[in-house]
């Protein structure tokens, strides 16, 4: 009887993705050394799960093992936008994604129960509970009394999107202007390279999923740069909601490319420590994104995005 292949553990899969994210954010190039202790420190975990995650990435060809030096990055992450989708998924991860898709499509009510999810997805109780825990840990669900869970409100309808942008308009520029704001230069450089690569693609091959990742990474970098931990936590929690399916639906490629250019212009000012200018540009960017109309670019974006250039 043929043995059934065991799925990787969820924490190893999550850590493998975190390692890729850290390597991408810090601009690691193909061939870069990945010392277990350094990776453990960057991901705030012990070395044991790091070894398992690195073995998983080695099996996928993303990392290679060398007897003399240990693990090294085997690919150029800036040209591998779909690596995350190539990693195997744990059963509870697949169920969590199905739950999110069905909620986004309004096939699930705002409140769900374990029993109802077991019946809907023909899943075991332990798998449902693990999926719900994953979504709760990501602040996408809240535990309700009894056996119920409550979806947090996501910016997936016009009213909620408007409120989301108002929230971000209040906090994101303030994060930049708070005393002690610090930009992670390595992360910014790697992000710039990825944004420029996506911007160079023809409209027909523009990758909206990669745009979503870049958009969240860019605004997450601003949140992480704030010296105020409460601002960082509030923005980070809110940005997690933007990874829900359908959040970017209905926005055309013209606007998405325009948004990338705005990101790059804001990044120019952040790198030059022109924080007040960067905060002003960010406000314009968020207002344009809120309107989601390409023609808005000719009405008020104005000159800010056309006249400010990166200092030599």
């Amino acid at each position: 009887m043929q043995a059934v292949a065991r799925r990787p553990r969820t924490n190893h899969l999550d850590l493998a993705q975190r390692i890729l994210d850290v390597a991408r954010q810090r601009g690691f190039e193909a061939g870069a050394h990945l010392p277990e202790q350094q990776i453990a420190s960057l991901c705030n975990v012990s070395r044991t799960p790091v070894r398992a995650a690195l073995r998983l990435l080695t099996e996928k060809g993303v990392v290679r093992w060398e007897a003399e030096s240990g693990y090294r990055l085997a690919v150029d992450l800036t040209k591998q936008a779909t690596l995350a989708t190539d990693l195997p998924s744990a059963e509870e991860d697949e169920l969590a994604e199905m739950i999110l898709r069905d909620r986004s499509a309004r096939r699930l009510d705002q409140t769900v129960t374990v029993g109802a999810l077991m019946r809907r997805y023909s899943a075991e109780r332990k798998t449902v509970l693990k999926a719900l825990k994953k979504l709760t840990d990501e602040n996408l669900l809240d535990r309700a009394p009894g056996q119920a869970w409550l979806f947090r409100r996501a910016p997936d309808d016009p009213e909620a999107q408007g409120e989301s942008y108002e929230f971000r308009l209040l906090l994101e520029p303030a994060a930049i202007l708070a005393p002690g704001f610090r930009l992670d230069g390595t992360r910014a450089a790697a992000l710039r390279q990825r944004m420029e690569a996506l911007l160079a693609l023809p409209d027909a091959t523009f990758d909206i999923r990669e745009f979503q990742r870049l958009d969240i990474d860019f605004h997450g970098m601003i949140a992480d740069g704030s010296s105020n931990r409460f601002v960082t936590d509030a923005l980070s929690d809110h940005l997690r909601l933007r990874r829900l399916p359908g959040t970017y639906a209905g926005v055309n490629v013209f606007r998405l490319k325009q948004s990338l250019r705005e990101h790059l212009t804001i990044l120019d000012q952040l790198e030059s420590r022109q924080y007040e200018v960067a905060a002003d540009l960010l406000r314009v960017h968020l207002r344009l994104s809120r309107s989601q109309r390409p023609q808005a670019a000719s009405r008020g974006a104005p000159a800010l995005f056309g006249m400010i250039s990166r200092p030599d």
Side-chain angles (χ1 to χ4, degrees):
M1 182 176 178
Q2 186 176 4
V4 177
R6 294 183 60 185
R7 293 181 186 233
R9 292 173 58 179
T10 303
N11 61 328
H12 295 162
L13 287 165
D14 290 343
L15 183 55
Q17 184 57 61
R18 284 170 62 192
I19 291 172
L20 292 182
D21 290 341
V22 167
R24 184 180 287 113
Q25 290 169 1
R26 300 185 74 84
F28 287 4
E29 298 180 349
H33 190 206
L34 301 173
E36 293 177 9
Q37 187 56 57
Q38 180 188 15
I39 297 299
S41 299
L42 290 171
C43 296
N44 197 28
V45 296
S46 67
R47 292 177 63 176
T48 300
V50 166
R51 291 192 196 102
L54 288 171
R55 284 196 296 270
L56 175 59
L57 291 172
T58 302
E59 292 171 4
K60 300 303 295 182
V62 181
V63 167
R64 68 174 184 270
W65 164 260
E66 296 180 354
E68 301 81 10
S69 58
Y71 290 101
R72 291 188 177 276
L73 193 62
V75 299
D76 182 351
L77 293 178
T78 63
K79 299 178 180 178
Q80 298 285 335
T82 61
L83 276 177
T85 61
D86 293 335
L87 290 174
S89 298
E91 190 174 3
E92 57 266 27
D93 292 336
E94 294 178 351
L95 178 58
E97 289 300 319
M98 286 191 286
I99 290 171
L100 289 181
R101 285 197 299 270
D102 284 349
R103 173 56 187 163
S104 179
R106 299 294 195 274
R107 291 188 289 265
L108 287 175
D109 294 332
Q110 187 174 11
T111 302
V112 294
T113 64
V114 173
L117 294 175
M118 289 172 61
R119 291 188 295 272
R120 179 179 181 87
Y121 299 105
S122 300
E124 296 182 0
R125 182 180 184 84
K126 64 179 182 180
T127 303
V128 171
L129 287 172
K130 287 181 179 179
L132 291 174
K133 182 180 184 304
K134 177 181 176 65
L135 295 175
T136 302
D137 290 345
E138 294 179 358
N139 292 316
L140 300 174
L141 277 178
D142 288 320
R143 184 70 185 266
Q147 293 295 311
W149 273 259
L150 184 69
F151 283 101
R152 289 195 172 190
R153 188 173 185 187
D156 58 354
D157 63 66
E159 181 182 359
Q161 286 175 4
E163 292 174 359
S164 171
Y165 280 111
E166 288 300 327
F167 173 82
R168 295 171 64 196
L169 277 163
L170 288 171
L171 282 190
E172 284 196 47
I176 294 175
L177 295 176
F181 176 85
R182 178 175 294 181
L183 181 70
D184 184 332
T186 303
R187 182 176 177 182
L191 191 55
R192 175 185 292 279
Q193 186 176 11
R194 292 169 59 202
M195 289 192 292
E196 289 175 344
L198 181 59
L199 192 56
L201 292 178
D203 289 2
T205 58
F206 189 87
D207 187 343
I208 294 179
R209 293 184 65 183
E210 172 66 357
F211 173 85
Q212 181 177 15
R213 286 188 287 267
L214 287 172
D215 188 48
I216 293 172
D217 285 352
F218 175 78
H219 291 281
M221 179 180 66
I222 291 174
D224 292 341
S226 174
S227 59
N228 187 311
R229 72 191 71 179
F230 297 103
V231 171
T232 296
D233 289 346
L235 283 173
S236 297
D237 284 348
H238 188 75
L239 285 170
R240 289 189 185 97
L241 296 175
R242 295 181 61 76
R243 61 174 284 267
L244 289 170
T247 304
Y248 294 77
V251 185
N252 62 38
V253 171
F254 180 94
R255 173 56 201 156
L256 297 182
K257 283 194 167 186
Q258 183 188 50
S259 183
L260 284 173
R261 294 186 186 97
E262 292 163 10
H263 285 173
L264 290 168
T265 305
I266 293 167
L267 188 53
D268 287 342
Q269 302 308 312
L270 290 174
E271 290 176 332
S272 301
R273 299 189 179 184
Q274 300 296 318
Y275 295 142
E276 291 190 6
V277 176
D280 285 340
L281 289 171
L282 180 57
R283 290 188 188 95
V284 175
H285 166 69
L286 290 172
R287 288 175 181 136
L288 289 175
S289 297
R290 178 178 57 185
S291 72
Q292 295 188 351
R293 291 193 299 269
Q295 60 267 32
S298 62
R299 290 206 301 267
L304 281 175
F305 282 109
M307 295 175 62
I308 296 176
S309 60
R310 192 177 185 184
D312 297 330

